[in-house]
Amino acid sequence: MRIYELFAIAVGVSMDAFAVAICKGMSVKTVGRRHFIVTGAWFGGFQALMPLIGFLLGVGFKNVVESWDHWLSFVLLSAIGIRMMKESRCGVDSLNDSFSPKVMFPLAVANSIDALAVGVSFAFLNVQIVPAVLLIGATTFIFSGAGVSIGNKFGAKFKSKAEVVGGAILILIGTMILLEHTGVI
């Protein structure tokens, strides 16, 4: 996988976290450095951990599905992308202004489930997992910190756009993988 494809996936999977970070930023009157670090660490950490877990699971059954792994990658990434785009139409729920582990842990887990499926795809595509998860984690950390700031300043204006863009990126990457592995491009 090329670095620009990996970076596009990192940006795509970070969009859910970015959208939630916007909501977290909207929930507080004044955003401080602690808000950026806490949000980035929770979301970036889980966005890095889940693809690693998915990769390890995928390696376990890679030989069984190797002949159609590109189709699986396409379906997983496209399904995640479509779900993200559908969720972009949902309104902002009541906002919780807490950044405690009790609040952040479930948000981080919920936002990173998609990355688990991406990790399974990585196993089939022979992606070097350590650089991949480090890039995903760092990208999500940065996007989450930015999301807190943007949410605090601009409100819900960018939340749905971020999810649409992230979903479109994942669908595009899945399509490119399919087309490359079937010899179309």
Side-chain angles (χ1 to χ4, degrees), residues 125-178:
L125 299 170
N126 297 316
V127 171
Q128 293 181 339
I129 194 62
V130 173
V133 298
L134 291 174
L135 181 61
I136 289 170
T139 301
T140 304
F141 183 92
I142 292 166
F143 273 75
S144 297
V148 170
S149 179
I150 290 168
N152 190 255
K153 288 182 177 59
F154 301 107
K157 182 177 181 182
F158 294 108
K159 177 189 176 292
S160 64
K161 289 179 177 74
E163 288 179 321
V164 169
V165 168
I169 288 171
L170 293 179
I171 292 168
L172 179 63
I173 294 295
T175 303
M176 287 176 54
I177 290 167
L178 179 64

Side-chain angles (χ1 to χ4, degrees), residues 55 65 71 75:
F55 180 84
V65 294
W71 284 99
V75 169

